[in-house]
Amino acid sequence: MGTVAEQFIEVLRQAGVERVYGVVGDSLNPVVDAIRKTAGIEWVHVRNEEAGAFAAAAEAQVTGRLAVCAGSCGPGNTHLLQGLYDAHRSGAPVLALASHIAGAQIGTGFFQETHPDRQFVDCSGYCEMIGSAEQMPRVLRIAVQHAIGHSGVAVVVLPGDVADMPAAHGTGTHGFLTRQGTVRPPSDQVAQLATALNSAEKVMLFCGAGVRRAHEEVMSLAARTLAPVGHALRGKEWIQYDNPYDVGMSGLLGYGACYDAMQEADLVVLLGTDFPYDDFLPGKRTVQIDHDPAQLGRRTPLELAVHGDVSETLLAVLPQVARKTDRRYLDKMLSKHVKTLDNVVNAYTRDIEHHTPIHPEYVASVVDELAADDAVFTVDTGMCNVWAARYLTPNGRRRVIGSFKHGSMANALPHAIGAQFADRGRQVVSLSGDGGLGMLMGELLTARMYDLPVKIVVFNNSSLGMVKLEMLVDGLLDFGTDVAPVDYAAIAAAIGLGSVRVEKPTQVREALATAFAAPGPYLVDVVTDPDVLSMPPRITAKQVKGFALGAGKVVLTGGVGRMIDMARANLRNIPRP
């Protein structure tokens, strides 16, 4: 039957796992050796276990299947934590193997002793230790099913000596749940929802990641209720495309008329979103639809909570919704949306060929234009989130992955590695800040080692731009946010990556086109303006006063890119009497 470690890997293969991300060593060695001897699964050597957890999270989000990372005892485990927090909060089905010291030494203060069965509880939905061979394969299968069934992290703690024991039971075969059923709302909730929609004169729909696979149903409801449709950041890729009712995004990175549409509505319908910024919500006149009952009402008071998948709920309620005929509210918001975007077009188009350092918005707009129609974009936390939110154009096939709920720095490159391992033939573009890249720069070595064709676009402003903005709006001096300039293209070239440094805006398009056409990994190091910041659609008087103390900064109040063309088209399509 082999060892427990070999049985562990056999169970992972039964679950469809093709690789494990981690760093070899110590108590993890029996498991790594089992991978060596097992066909169909590979060990991916990352430079930091944190990056391995990020990579697993991205692979799981791109494929929808279980992905796995591992850390050896002590520091190997603790390095995993950051990436696992991101994976769990992003709803990525990830299994983490936290290897442990020998069972006889647990509790003695032994070398590298930690308590992984305690450490990982807060960033997982399941965390248990296998202390004997008799617990296998049952406990591992339970962990796998938790990760898949609850779309989150499951952690198995395995002492190294237990991994090396002979297996006590045969592995056998097992069919894992790989596709979940749908949640249909109770009929009385559907009736109440129909009543609320029919009673309101001005309905607004606000969408999160839960509208995935519900685009058609949301558009049907918007058409019937003449509702503006806005979105949170995680809803952008699923709802903004082919959307004649689009009014942009709300939140700290928001743009367009979304915030105003929400405040003016008689009824706001939250669709599959756990939007955390309650200051941007009206705090009243709100209905929420979600498949997770624990999320209902935890951000804002509700007039009605509806438990169900968005698509199933809308299919049930649409026959009961009367068709509205008064377009004044919708047309007003569409017009306001275009006006808001128009006001900032020149922010990234005026004198771009002469402005140095380069406008980061211009770089993002060219990336959007040149990238493949099914590209996967991974986005660093901070100002790169802003440029992605405002300049990347979704189409239903592109993906945008970031640490949108945990907000960790340095996620973009390791996320890109995981996404590229999931599909080597798909274009993967990492939008990296220089702060994030510097934090986990060792993963450039991983991309080079496996010849992964990731394209790394570095927004190099020698500054932590989002932190600078946070300080300015609080009336603080932006202290500690600027760093010495670094030539990341030279670093990439030194380790064998294709690279180019771009300091003039006239070089941007050619550099990106060359990178996207390159067969292997390629880094484009763009020197961008550190004084280009962004402002949310709503800012308090106190924040305005604070920001005034940071005079001389360039402030954007919206976003453009190809979205302005879509917004203008929507406006042109308004029926005229």
Side-chain angles (χ1 to χ4, degrees):
M1 289 189 291
T3 66
V4 168
E6 290 168 346
Q7 188 175 57
F8 195 102
I9 299 306
E10 187 178 354
V11 172
L12 293 186
R13 286 297 299 129
Q14 290 179 356
V17 175
E18 297 178 353
R19 62 192 58 85
V20 178
Y21 302 91
V23 179
V24 300
D26 302 320
S27 54
L28 196 56
N29 290 340
V31 175
V32 177
D33 189 59
I35 293 174
R36 178 185 65 83
K37 294 185 288 188
T38 304
I41 189 168
E42 64 178 325
W43 176 261
V44 176
H45 174 66
V46 293
R47 267 52 184 187
N48 187 308
E49 291 88 351
E50 176 182 345
F54 277 127
E59 179 185 326
Q61 290 177 79
V62 169
T63 65
R65 300 191 303 268
L66 181 72
V68 179
C69 58
S72 60
C73 58
N77 286 341
T78 55
H79 280 308
L80 284 173
L81 279 166
Q82 187 75 283
L84 291 182
Y85 267 102
D86 168 74
H88 194 54
R89 301 191 71 186
S90 298
V94 170
L95 176 78
L97 168 58
S99 188
H100 204 356
I101 63 173
Q105 299 292 349
I106 295 174
T108 68
F110 193 70
F111 175 65
Q112 291 191 326
E113 180 177 6
T114 57
H115 296 280
D117 52 323
R118 304 177 196 171
Q119 291 169 332
F120 291 99
V121 168
D122 191 45
C123 62
S124 67
Y126 182 89
C127 181
E128 295 292 343
M129 184 168 77
I130 296 175
S132 68
E134 285 74 15
Q135 292 174 269
M136 280 287 290
R138 185 180 180 187
V139 168
L140 178 55
R141 284 181 172 143
I142 293 171
V144 168
Q145 202 58 73
H146 266 80
I148 297 172
H150 292 292
S151 298
V153 170
V155 179
V156 173
V157 180
L158 182 65
D161 58 337
V162 176
D164 222 10
M165 288 179 180
H169 307 293
T171 305
T173 59
H174 181 78
F176 289 100
L177 171 73
T178 57
R179 190 168 57 125
Q180 298 184 39
T182 56
V183 181
R184 292 181 172 85
S187 57
D188 62 324
Q189 291 180 11
V190 174
Q192 289 175 284
L193 175 59
T195 299
L197 291 167
N198 291 332
S199 300
E201 291 184 10
K202 295 182 286 187
V203 176
M204 190 269 182
L205 309 180
F206 186 69
C207 304
V211 300
R212 184 178 186 176
R213 293 183 288 272
H215 187 278
E216 183 179 349
E217 291 82 1
V218 176
M219 293 300 101
S220 295
L221 180 62
R224 188 158 294 194
T225 59
L226 298 177
V229 178
H231 58 268
L233 178 55
R234 294 184 71 214
K236 172 186 172 74
E237 60 182 327
W238 307 119
I239 204 65
Q240 191 185 41
Y241 68 95
D242 295 338
N243 181 354
Y245 312 98
D246 177 60
V247 291
M249 189 173 83
S250 191
L252 297 175
L253 312 184
Y255 61 86
C258 182
Y259 175 80
D260 294 305
M262 189 178 293
Q263 300 304 315
E264 191 170 318
D266 296 328
L267 183 70
V268 174
V269 184
L270 305 179
L271 297 168
T273 180
D274 190 35
F275 183 73
Y277 303 106
D278 54 323
D279 285 347
F280 290 85
L281 299 173
K284 55 186 178 180
R285 313 181 310 275
T286 302
V287 169
Q288 185 175 3
I289 302 170
D290 206 286
H291 77 286
D292 183 354
Q295 294 188 2
L296 293 169
R298 76 172 179 174
R299 304 301 184 189
T300 186
L302 301 177
E303 289 187 3
L304 176 64
V306 181
H307 180 214
D309 288 342
V310 173
S311 59
E312 291 292 328
T313 302
L314 298 191
L315 285 172
V317 78
L318 276 167
Q320 304 178 40
V321 177
R323 190 174 297 276
K324 299 186 187 299
T325 58
D326 187 347
R327 293 185 55 100
R328 286 177 295 178
Y329 164 61
L330 172 61
D331 293 349
K332 175 183 176 182
M333 291 304 150
L334 292 175
S335 299
K336 185 175 182 64
H337 184 57
V338 169
K339 182 178 179 181
T340 302
L341 298 185
D342 267 333
N343 286 340
V344 294
V345 169
N346 288 338
Y348 86 104
T349 57
R350 184 181 61 246
D351 297 328
I352 57 169
E353 294 186 358
H354 305 96
H355 183 92
T356 55
I358 299 166
H359 285 306
E361 315 94 306
Y362 173 64
V363 179
S365 69
V366 178
V367 167
D368 179 57
E369 181 183 340
L370 297 182
D373 286 344
D374 65 344
V376 178
F377 300 96
T378 62
V379 185
D380 259 342
T381 297
M383 295 307 296
C384 285
N385 268 198
V386 178
W387 313 138
R390 297 181 176 182
Y391 295 94
L392 295 183
T393 307
N395 58 12
R397 291 184 293 151
R398 285 178 164 183
R399 294 299 314 275
V400 181
I401 295 174
S403 187
F404 298 139
K405 296 192 75 173
H406 187 52
S408 174
M409 284 181 63
N411 63 284
L413 177 55
H415 270 159
I417 287 171
Q420 196 72 84
F421 264 112
D423 187 348
R424 282 180 172 267
R426 190 173 184 181
Q427 187 182 75
V428 177
V429 182
S430 171
L431 301 186
S432 299
D434 57 321
L437 181 62
M439 186 176 287
L440 284 177
M441 190 165 53
E443 300 314 315
L444 290 173
L445 298 170
T446 305
R448 178 67 184 90
M449 176 178 178
Y450 293 98
D451 197 29
L452 294 171
V454 294
K455 313 308 176 190
I456 305 142
V457 181
V458 186
F459 290 75
N460 189 352
N461 62 3
S462 301
S463 174
L464 300 177
M466 187 61 76
V467 180
K468 178 181 289 191
L469 175 62
E470 292 168 354
M471 289 182 168
L472 290 171
V473 296
D474 285 337
L476 303 174
L477 294 174
D478 51 317
F479 177 76
T481 59
D482 297 327
V483 296
V486 175
D487 187 338
Y488 288 100
I491 294 173
I495 63 172
L497 264 70
S499 65
V500 63
R501 185 171 173 87
V502 180
E503 297 180 345
K504 298 179 180 179
T506 52
Q507 302 168 332
V508 169
R509 182 175 296 274
E510 181 180 357
L512 290 172
T514 300
F516 290 171
Y522 204 102
L523 184 145
V524 181
D525 182 14
V526 187
V527 180
T528 58
D529 191 340
D531 290 334
V532 174
L533 303 176
S534 74
M535 294 294 281
R538 175 177 181 265
I539 185 168
T540 66
K542 179 181 177 181
Q543 289 171 327
V544 170
K545 181 179 179 181
F547 195 85
L549 300 178
K553 305 300 178 183
V554 179
V555 181
L556 302 184
T557 57
V560 284
R562 284 185 281 176
M563 287 182 289
I564 185 63
D565 296 328
M566 183 179 71
R568 287 171 177 156
N570 290 343
L571 198 60
R572 286 195 299 270
N573 291 331
I574 293 176
R576 303 301 177 188

